Amino acid sequence: MNALIQTIAIAALPVVFAITLHEAAHGYAARHFGDPTAWQAGRISLNPLRHIDPVGTVLIPLLILIFSAGSFLFGYAKPVPVNFSRLRNPKRDMLWVALAGPASNLFMALLWAALLKLAWELPVNDFTVPLSEMSKVGVIINCVLMVLNLLPLPPLDGGRIAVSLLPYPLANKFAQIERWGFPILLLLLFTGILGQVMYPLVQMAAGLIETLFGLY
């Protein structure tokens, strides 16, 4: 039990920021490209409290941590409202709004990697040890969310990117998958297919970041 509490304490901050700032990034990008919906709803904020979903950001990650003994983590925040029809060029700008979320996770993974490097360079003390462990979680959870959201399945960000890039007839047909996107994602998760697809991609992303910062 003590180990679980320690794991939750270490993982809480990087997980909450990884999930919530991902959504905030969508809102910032949407406003930049002409849609003020998220801004009008007060969702363009770096304050995680504005994006936390009690179930997706707190309960589900907590239960997964408990039942997986800290070996797996997943969660989500309240989706930022985006009205794609209000973008200046809806089909083109959809790509950048969708890409903003995974890009924010890449940025946070790099930031946590820099903090991990700092923790390793400083003398070992009561501050550097938890910072090191927290940073490790930060790198991994952000790599997981980045890879997951880049999968080409609506309503994931990768699905919206695909819709933006496909010609109009194909884009319209592909976008219709969105109503089944979440059930398909759950099916892939519980059959283990999602893990088989994501694991090597997450390992590759984390490995590249570790190489970049010399985290050996």
Side-chain angles (χ1 to χ4, degrees):
M1 180 59 73
N2 288 338
L4 178 60
I5 293 173
Q6 188 178 47
T7 299
I8 293 172
I10 290 171
L13 190 64
V15 168
V16 167
F17 275 108
I19 294 172
T20 59
L21 297 191
H22 174 106
E23 291 298 331
H26 287 311
Y28 278 107
R31 184 185 181 188
H32 176 76
F33 287 103
D35 173 29
T37 305
W39 174 70
Q40 291 168 346
R43 296 294 305 282
I44 298 186
S45 172
L46 296 180
N47 180 0
L49 295 177
R50 291 184 178 271
H51 308 287
I52 287 176
D53 180 280
V55 175
T57 316
V58 179
L59 183 60
I60 288 179
L62 183 60
L63 291 175
I64 290 176
L65 268 178
I66 293 172
F67 289 107
S68 69
S71 63
F72 181 71
L73 200 55
F74 176 75
Y76 57 88
K78 289 188 294 186
V80 164
V82 177
N83 186 342
F84 291 102
S85 65
R86 300 180 72 178
L87 298 173
R88 285 189 288 273
N89 188 321
K91 192 171 186 299
R92 182 197 65 195
D93 296 343
M94 179 190 302
L95 182 149
W96 302 110
V97 174
L99 194 59
S104 73
N105 290 126
L106 175 59
F107 174 78
M108 283 186 279
L110 294 171
L111 181 60
W112 283 114
L115 290 173
L116 178 57
K117 182 70 172 181
L118 176 64
W120 285 6
E121 293 293 333
L122 293 173
V124 177
N125 55 51
D126 292 340
F127 171 74
T128 59
V129 173
L131 177 62
S132 174
E133 295 304 309
M134 189 178 293
S135 299
K136 291 176 186 176
V137 174
V139 172
I140 293 300
I141 186 60
N142 279 288
C143 286
V144 168
L145 288 177
M146 178 180 68
V147 169
L148 174 64
N149 279 283
L150 285 175
L151 296 178
L153 175 67
L156 296 177
D157 299 328
R160 300 197 187 281
I161 292 171
V163 170
S164 176
L165 294 174
L166 288 170
Y168 275 104
L170 286 176
N172 289 334
K173 291 181 180 179
F174 190 70
Q176 293 174 12
I177 300 175
E178 182 164 342
R179 72 183 73 177
W180 307 107
F182 194 64
I184 292 172
L185 187 63
L186 289 177
L187 179 64
L188 294 175
L189 175 63
F190 288 115
T191 57
I193 296 174
L194 184 62
Q196 292 175 11
V197 171
M198 287 187 56
Y199 183 77
L201 296 174
V202 171
Q203 289 295 103
M204 181 175 68
L208 288 172
I209 291 173
E210 289 170 1
T211 301
L212 178 64
F213 285 89
L215 300 171
Y216 305 113

